[in-house]
Amino acid sequence: KSKSWISEDDFYRPPQEQPPESPSDGSAASPRGTPESRPCLLRHFSQGPRKSSSMGALDKACVPSPGSRKSPAAATQEHKNFRVVHRRQMGLSNPFRGLMKLGTVERRGAMGIWKELFCELSPLEFRLYLSGEERTCVENCSLLRCESVGPAHSDGRFELVFSGKKLTLRASSQDEAEDWLDRVREALQKCRPQQEEEWVSVQYPEQPSDLPKDPQGGPPSHSEPTEPESLQGTQLDWSSVQVPEPDAIKESLLYLYTDRTWTPYIFSLSLDSLKCFRVKNNEKMLSDSHGVETIRDILPDTSLGGPSFFKIITAKAILKLQAGSAEEAALWRDLVRKVLASYLETAEEAVTLGGSLDENCQEVLKFATGEQGFLLQYLVAIPTEKGLDSQGCFCAGCSRQIGFSFVRPKLCAFSGLYYCDICHQDDASVIPARIIHNWDLTKRPVCRQALKFLMKIRAQPLINLQLVNPSLYEHEERMHLIGRSREQLKLLGDYLGLCRSGALKELSKRLTHRNYLLESPHKYSVADLQQISEGVYEGFLKTLIEFASQHVYHCDLCTQRGFICQICHHHDIIFPFEFDTTVRCGECKTVFHQSCQAVVTGCPRCARRRKYHEQNALT
């Protein structure tokens, strides 16, 4: 927190060997000498082994005194102590302040808005200013409190995580973001190159009392610290001859940091989970299992000792791991990120069954991916029970060991996974997939995680019935009537959207936050399906249709957008939402009376248009 601008170049480190004494090597006795002796001190400082960009200015400003000499005692004292020279004593300004990188980046705020800021990276701090000219500090983060440095994305985004604070930044390109991260890692290695607070106490056997104690060759006392465990990577055994799992993408031996020691485990990565095995009697025994949906991120962690260290952040723990080499650690990080990306793509396709998401679905997907994002794949597809052995006899929620010899497993009707009695407390809920495909509204027991997920997305229009199961309109009479009313409301919404009377705002108030009813007639939420089965939804739609149609019939602007039947040419105005009396051409969208259309074959307007185009082609 010091405001001093003394850099590392201001410290003079004398050479290890004693230089021969000569009259030309004379200098001042100490920096606290008289003003006449300080120039000699500064002259000797400029000839030291470390020189900065400001040394020439100091050499020009300081002229050595020809008559200055130093005694042998003063020379000995000079090599014992370091000396600091303040530029302020010479009246010189600090030209560089020890900055490692300057530049402009964008920071994402709480509302997701990016704001451009000016950044300075010093060996100990990361500072953000409003602009390069206006030196108003917005954020000042100490690198000593930096916990992790995120990867650089293709659009230039990167993250810096400090204790109690997370900065989401965006550079101009991915290369620029990687350069920022490299500079931050370089600063982190300088300010905390290794963690020296953890020591190993080596226990030695007690010596017989009759043996004489050797003060020089005896074992060191237990109070003397030894090398930290995180730096003893050369003493670890990396040999493993176990047969990999059949579904493993990668499987190798890694050391896990538990209880202040590094313990060897065999980690197996598949598309579904990350399994941890303990080798006992030359056999693999499952110790822990982490589902891919619980993995938040994987990051390098050079603060543990080097580039071969990394950590995996899951929903329940942070796994600190050490690989055999830096290349092996980089390969693990790359494969875990690819598995996470594949999982998210699968979840998106399971929701839409078409591979594309609209803005609303994307927002909900980001919102729900935090903890229960993997449950999106079961929203529109009835799950199949895979069996307890597919989970390795571990709870899908907390990874607690379950089975008939441990804790009685409970099946979740929403996901088809097994849970322990803590994560599954027999809460009942309807299953959306069974409503969509079977019109089954029976409440079934679900786990606490699925219940929380269903409560989150209950009012969100994630189900597009036209894509998931359009045959439901034909097999269920109630859904056929609802689909017809939804199409009417969509057409009425188009009329009110063009009207300048403000009727659309009044209709939006009556929708009670269901504006998606005016966007698509086939989007439904879980709450909509439940209300349809209870008979409440149909009356709600009729009220909206009655309000909107009365406005269209009595509004001068809306009636001018009506149609005149081009078959009977009657002066009555007809509208496309009058399904009982009118019919609409699917090609040109012209509206006719149903009775008139039954007499004439085809659409007269489309026939005129085809004839007109044929005449133009001939001419």
Side-chain angles (χ1 to χ4, degrees):
K1 297 182 179 180
S2 175
K3 301 296 183 180
S4 175
W5 41 262
I6 299 178
S7 68
E8 197 175 350
D9 293 326
D10 290 326
F11 291 84
Y12 166 63
R13 290 172 174 79
Q16 299 293 333
E17 299 179 359
Q18 182 80 12
E21 293 187 4
S22 62
S24 61
D25 292 337
S27 62
S30 67
R32 295 188 180 182
T34 60
E36 291 79 15
S37 63
R38 278 182 192 160
C40 302
L41 169 66
L42 295 171
R43 180 63 177 174
H44 188 79
F45 166 72
S46 66
Q47 295 173 354
R50 298 177 60 89
K51 301 188 72 175
S52 68
S53 59
S54 61
M55 294 306 153
L58 289 173
D59 291 341
K60 292 179 182 179
C62 307
V63 181
S65 176
S68 60
R69 294 296 180 103
K70 63 179 179 181
S71 63
T76 305
Q77 183 70 20
E78 175 188 350
H79 288 282
K80 286 184 179 180
N81 301 326
F82 293 147
R83 294 177 295 173
V84 180
V85 178
H86 244 295
R87 291 190 179 90
R88 199 179 304 151
Q89 295 176 359
M90 298 301 301
L92 299 177
S93 62
N94 181 21
F96 50 88
R97 294 181 295 170
L99 295 178
M100 302 181 67
K101 187 174 176 61
L102 298 172
T104 303
V105 298
E106 292 179 324
R107 179 186 178 184
R108 188 173 66 183
M111 302 300 293
I113 301 175
W114 294 92
K115 184 177 181 180
E116 188 176 273
L117 298 172
F118 184 77
C119 294
E120 286 185 357
L121 177 63
S122 69
L124 291 177
E125 291 179 336
F126 184 81
R127 295 182 287 268
L128 295 173
Y129 298 93
L130 288 178
S131 63
E133 294 79 15
E134 187 178 353
R135 309 295 291 179
T136 303
C137 187
V138 178
E139 202 73 53
N140 190 358
C141 304
S142 174
L143 295 181
L144 296 175
R145 296 179 175 271
C146 184
E147 296 179 353
S148 64
V149 179
H153 298 273
S154 57
D155 58 349
R157 287 183 296 109
F158 63 96
E159 294 178 352
L160 301 178
V161 180
F162 298 87
S163 56
K165 188 184 303 181
K166 181 178 179 181
L167 298 180
T168 302
L169 306 172
R170 184 170 65 184
S172 58
S173 63
Q174 185 177 7
D175 295 337
E176 180 69 13
E178 290 177 352
D179 186 61
W180 273 105
L181 294 176
D182 291 342
R183 293 289 181 266
V184 172
R185 293 189 187 101
E186 181 183 349
L188 289 176
Q189 290 180 357
K190 286 186 178 181
C191 67
R192 49 176 189 185
Q194 60 187 11
Q195 295 179 351
E196 299 182 351
E197 67 273 11
E198 299 179 2
W199 304 96
V200 180
S201 298
V202 182
Q203 302 291 335
Y204 290 90
E206 296 183 359
Q207 295 183 352
S209 57
D210 54 348
L211 293 179
K213 296 183 179 180
D214 188 4
Q216 296 180 354
S221 62
H222 301 310
S223 61
E224 293 183 1
T226 59
E227 189 180 5
E229 291 179 339
S230 61
L231 301 178
Q232 297 177 355
T234 57
Q235 303 176 5
L236 303 179
D237 184 16
W238 298 101
S239 60
S240 177
V241 292
Q242 302 297 325
V243 180
E245 296 295 304
D247 59 344
I249 300 175
K250 180 171 179 57
E251 183 172 318
S252 65
L253 178 67
L254 298 174
Y255 277 79
L256 177 65
Y257 188 70
T258 56
D259 298 331
R260 303 176 70 86
T261 57
W262 293 95
T263 309
Y265 287 93
I266 292 180
F267 282 82
S268 178
L269 177 66
S270 65
L271 289 174
D272 299 325
S273 62
L274 176 68
K275 296 179 180 179
C276 179
F277 296 93
R278 187 74 183 268
V279 179
K280 189 175 182 181
N281 296 329
N282 205 19
E283 292 184 359
K284 293 192 303 183
M285 299 181 64
L286 188 61
S287 174
D288 201 354
S289 178
H290 303 273
V292 176
E293 66 276 359
T294 64
I295 299 177
R296 300 292 176 262
D297 203 355
I298 179 169
L299 302 169
D301 196 352
T302 56
S303 63
L304 294 175
S308 62
F309 294 81
F310 61 97
K311 59 183 178 182
I312 299 177
I313 303 174
T314 65
K316 61 179 182 178
I318 298 179
L319 307 178
K320 297 181 179 181
L321 301 170
Q322 178 183 3
S325 61
E327 293 78 12
E328 181 76 6
L331 182 59
W332 268 101
R333 296 197 301 269
D334 183 58
L335 288 176
V336 170
R337 290 194 185 103
K338 288 181 178 179
V339 169
L340 285 175
S342 174
Y343 155 72
L344 289 177
E345 291 176 2
T346 305
E348 291 180 4
E349 292 177 0
V351 174
T352 60
L353 300 182
S356 62
L357 288 172
D358 56 14
E359 295 180 359
N360 195 4
C361 290
Q362 286 180 359
E363 181 182 354
V364 174
L365 180 64
K366 294 176 183 178
F367 173 73
T369 303
E371 294 182 1
Q372 300 92 18
F374 75 103
L375 295 174
L376 279 167
Q377 56 188 312
Y378 306 114
L379 184 62
V380 296
I382 298 177
T384 56
E385 183 181 349
K386 298 179 181 179
L388 187 59
D389 57 341
S390 64
Q391 298 178 210
C393 295
F394 286 98
C395 172
C398 63
S399 298
R400 180 185 178 190
Q401 199 160 9
I402 56 177
F404 295 102
S405 58
F406 296 97
V407 179
R408 178 175 172 268
K410 293 185 177 182
L411 178 65
C412 176
F414 178 75
S415 62
L417 302 176
Y418 287 93
Y419 294 83
C420 64
D421 54 357
I422 297 177
C423 298
H424 194 317
Q425 299 182 7
D426 299 324
D427 298 303
S429 173
V430 294
I431 309 302
R434 296 187 181 275
I435 300 176
I436 296 168
H437 297 285
N438 303 330
W439 198 244
D440 183 3
L441 294 125
T442 307
K443 290 189 176 182
R444 289 178 167 82
V446 296
C447 65
R448 304 286 293 179
Q449 197 176 25
L451 182 66
K452 185 178 179 181
F453 170 78
L454 289 172
M455 293 299 294
K456 273 186 178 181
I457 57 110
R458 186 175 182 273
Q460 300 295 335
L462 294 177
I463 301 170
N464 191 332
L465 206 57
Q466 188 67 24
L467 293 175
V468 179
N469 187 19
S471 62
L472 187 62
Y473 292 119
E474 303 172 4
H475 293 85
E476 182 61 33
E477 179 64 24
R478 189 177 299 175
M479 284 301 301
H480 175 71
L481 297 175
I482 292 297
R484 183 183 174 92
S485 300
R486 287 285 301 268
E487 290 180 1
Q488 279 185 291
L489 185 62
K490 170 67 170 59
L491 293 171
L492 284 166
D494 294 340
Y495 271 87
L496 268 63
L498 297 174
C499 184
R500 293 174 293 181
S501 63
L504 182 63
K505 184 180 292 185
E506 182 64 28
L507 181 63
S508 299
K509 293 179 181 178
R510 297 170 181 261
L511 287 173
T512 61
H513 305 289
R514 295 183 182 180
N515 293 325
Y516 58 89
L517 297 178
L518 305 178
E519 299 171 1
S520 173
H522 302 294
K523 284 187 176 182
Y524 294 88
S525 64
V526 179
D528 292 339
L529 297 176
Q530 283 186 281
Q531 290 181 2
I532 291 172
S533 65
E534 295 169 358
V536 181
Y537 199 74
E538 189 174 0
F540 169 68
L541 289 180
K542 284 184 177 179
T543 304
L544 297 175
I545 293 172
E546 182 66 22
F547 168 77
S549 59
Q550 288 299 320
H551 168 79
V552 173
Y553 291 146
H554 296 89
C555 178
D556 295 336
L557 185 61
C558 293
T559 52
Q560 293 180 19
R561 295 192 176 97
F563 292 85
I564 298 293
C565 180
Q566 298 186 15
I567 299 175
C568 66
H569 298 286
H570 198 273
H571 58 81
D572 290 340
I573 301 174
I574 56 178
F575 296 93
F577 54 83
E578 297 172 336
F579 290 167
D580 296 332
T581 58
T582 62
V583 65
R584 195 178 192 186
C585 177
E587 185 177 351
C588 66
K589 307 301 181 183
T590 306
V591 183
F592 307 96
H593 290 113
Q594 285 185 359
S595 57
C596 299
Q597 181 65 32
V599 177
V600 180
T601 57
C603 175
R605 188 183 179 210
C606 291
R608 289 197 308 269
R609 293 174 67 182
R610 283 193 297 268
K611 185 178 180 180
Y612 177 75
H613 288 305
E614 289 174 0
Q615 291 178 355
N616 285 343
L618 291 175
T619 56

